[in-house]
Amino acid sequence: EKGGYDHFMLKEIMEQPDALEDAMRGRVRPEDNQIHLGGLHGHWDQLREADRIVIAACGTSWHAGLVGEYLIESASRVPVEVEYASEFRYRDPVLREGDVVLVISQSGETADTLAAVREAHSKGIPCFGICNVVGSTIARETDAGVYLHAGPEIGVASTKAFTAQVTVLSMIALKLAEGRTLSKAELADNIRALAGVPDKVRRVLNASNGALQSMAHTYRYASNFLYLGRGYNFPVALEGALKLKEISYIHAEGYPAAEMKHGPIALIDRSMPVVFMAMKDSTYDKVLSNIEEVAAREGSVIAITDDKDAELESLCEAVVEIPQTKEFLSPLLTVIPLQLLSYHIAVLRGCHVDQPRNLAKSVTVE
Ligand code: F6R
């Protein structure tokens, strides 16, 4: 049942190339330059013409929502807000005609996320869903939506659901961008890039699993970790920190890289590993200067990059190289080494990877 792996979590990490292919099957169509998402058929104008899209979710799904904010805003120019479902539902949120709520939930049963659906409906606001579990309560109660088709996720720590959620959000963004912010040629280029992601994920898994396992040996006794990223990779920093906390019980925090100067830098010393997403994109120069600041304080820098050059190597204790992709797709690749690092550290620390203490796969209490 674990497909030859020791844990469901590792199986689910390793099956991400297939899960993403399944999530895209028949939907991402480079052959006719189309994104086809039947579940939202008839609702595209509602989304394109919305005054505002409010995304509500919890945990890892909330992190996917943050990536979705960047994706959808840049593609559609519709303002997006991302809310913790638990906050949204209790504060009598301002919702007006023209707003659209989008909830994201792997299980489709998270109590607070379900309450957000009901909150939207009680105010007459349309609510769409992105769920993995077919026929789940949230899938049934939302007006329309998209299934992940990622297959069952058994490990409590969400891995393939996150990448499938970001994949679905990328499809939604490209569909919204069609005829708006992207020309036909640009759309085709982006659709091809999205279709190419599963192979790149496969390459990351094959190339970096061994290295991350040995890095896990080096860092397993750390008691704090910091994860930093900018732009599309800021939510990935949050996700990397959450993965480490929940399965290895090591305290970790994720921040937008530039926020480091506003507090967390005080924590940095020799015993503090700092994981940077350092992709050679529009954020690189700024990220590099943050890396220099950490190195100057003797922090141990681990960098995830698509261009391992001598300068970066001289500043870092470890560099994990991943394939290049378009900036908006990079979370789908950068998160993979972070999942593997948490997994291997948790195993070395003797933790119950698939069933971490105090956690449940679906949180049906508020
Ligand atoms: C983290 C994790 C949780 C869930 C959260 C929402 O690895 O699994 O943070 O993401 O409980 O669950 P769903 O997506 O089922 O609503």
Side-chain angles (χ1 to χ4, degrees):
E1 41 160 20
K2 292 182 195 146
Y5 293 104
D6 290 343
H7 299 97
F8 282 110
M9 184 181 177
L10 186 58
K11 169 178 179 272
E12 288 159 6
I13 290 172
M14 292 297 179
E15 71 194 11
Q16 286 177 106
D18 300 320
L20 302 194
E21 269 162 13
D22 291 343
M24 288 196 258
R25 180 156 303 116
R27 295 166 158 184
V28 176
R29 308 199 315 208
E31 62 283 3
D32 57 0
N33 197 17
Q34 294 273 327
I35 297 286
H36 181 82
L37 284 172
L40 286 173
H41 183 74
H43 297 286
W44 292 111
D45 286 342
Q46 211 173 356
L47 283 164
R48 273 190 204 107
E49 285 153 26
D51 293 325
R52 188 172 68 134
I53 296 171
V54 179
I55 298 179
C58 302
T60 288
S61 298
W62 182 79
H63 296 156
L66 287 179
V67 179
E69 173 181 19
Y70 286 52
L71 286 166
I72 293 174
E73 282 199 347
S74 87
S76 67
R77 310 312 299 160
V78 176
V80 178
E81 277 169 38
V82 188
E83 297 253 8
Y84 285 114
S86 56
E87 290 296 313
F88 178 75
R89 54 163 309 192
Y90 280 115
R91 63 184 180 82
D92 192 17
V94 179
L95 287 170
R96 300 201 191 95
E97 202 186 330
D99 289 344
V100 173
V101 172
L102 177 63
V103 294
I104 307 175
S105 175
Q106 188 286 130
S107 62
E109 302 296 344
T110 300
D112 284 316
T113 311
L114 176 59
V117 177
R118 293 178 178 163
E119 178 69 30
H121 283 158
S122 75
K123 296 196 156 122
I125 301 298
C127 183
F128 304 139
I130 299 176
C131 296
N132 195 34
V133 177
V134 175
S136 56
T137 312
I138 293 172
R140 281 186 279 114
E141 289 203 15
T142 40
D143 305 310
V146 181
Y147 282 118
L148 300 181
H149 295 317
E153 191 179 65
I154 311 289
V156 164
S158 189
T159 52
K160 65 176 180 173
F162 174 79
T163 46
Q165 287 163 343
V166 172
T167 299
V168 165
L169 288 160
S170 307
M171 292 186 241
I172 291 175
L174 289 179
K175 185 77 184 174
L176 294 175
E178 194 180 340
R180 269 210 153 178
T181 53
L182 294 180
S183 69
K184 263 211 151 71
E186 288 164 335
L187 182 68
D189 192 36
N190 285 322
I191 289 178
R192 269 196 306 274
L194 179 56
V197 165
D199 262 336
K200 292 185 178 178
V201 171
R202 209 167 270 126
R203 278 161 57 194
V204 177
L205 290 167
N206 291 339
S208 67
N209 189 35
L212 287 157
Q213 195 165 11
S214 46
M215 275 166 61
H217 276 276
T218 311
Y219 298 105
R220 67 177 145 156
Y221 299 117
S223 35
N224 297 287
F225 263 75
L226 198 56
Y227 287 76
L228 300 173
R230 281 180 93 110
Y232 284 102
N233 281 302
F234 151 53
V236 176
L238 300 182
E239 176 60 7
L242 178 62
K243 286 293 88 98
L244 190 69
K245 277 184 270 213
E246 63 181 340
I247 61 166
S248 72
Y249 318 142
I250 295 175
H251 171 243
E253 291 192 50
Y255 267 94
E259 275 294 306
M260 183 183 86
K261 293 192 272 299
H262 301 281
I265 197 166
L267 293 167
I268 291 166
D269 64 15
R270 216 176 288 232
S271 59
M272 177 79 146
V274 185
V275 182
F276 275 96
M277 265 51 70
M279 301 293 276
K280 276 264 165 83
D281 59 19
S282 65
T283 66
Y284 186 76
D285 292 342
K286 302 275 185 208
V287 170
L288 191 66
S289 73
N290 295 143
I291 291 178
E292 282 162 352
E293 285 157 3
V294 173
R297 287 161 184 81
E298 296 189 73
S300 322
V301 179
I302 301 166
I304 315 295
T305 185
D306 55 354
D307 188 3
K308 183 172 174 169
D309 63 17
E311 185 183 22
L312 192 59
E313 279 199 287
S314 71
L315 293 166
C316 300
E317 256 182 29
V319 180
V320 179
E321 201 174 34
I322 63 175
Q324 291 179 341
T325 187
K326 291 199 178 283
E327 187 163 345
F328 78 99
L329 296 171
S330 75
L332 294 167
L333 302 185
T334 51
V335 76
I336 309 284
L338 307 190
Q339 296 170 342
L340 286 167
L341 182 64
S342 318
Y343 171 77
H344 290 302
I345 290 179
V347 169
L348 290 172
R349 289 168 67 101
C351 299
H352 290 286
V353 170
D354 283 335
Q355 255 150 359
R357 66 187 182 203
N358 311 335
L359 290 171
K361 185 64 186 161
S362 67
V363 183
T364 51
V365 290
E366 298 168 12

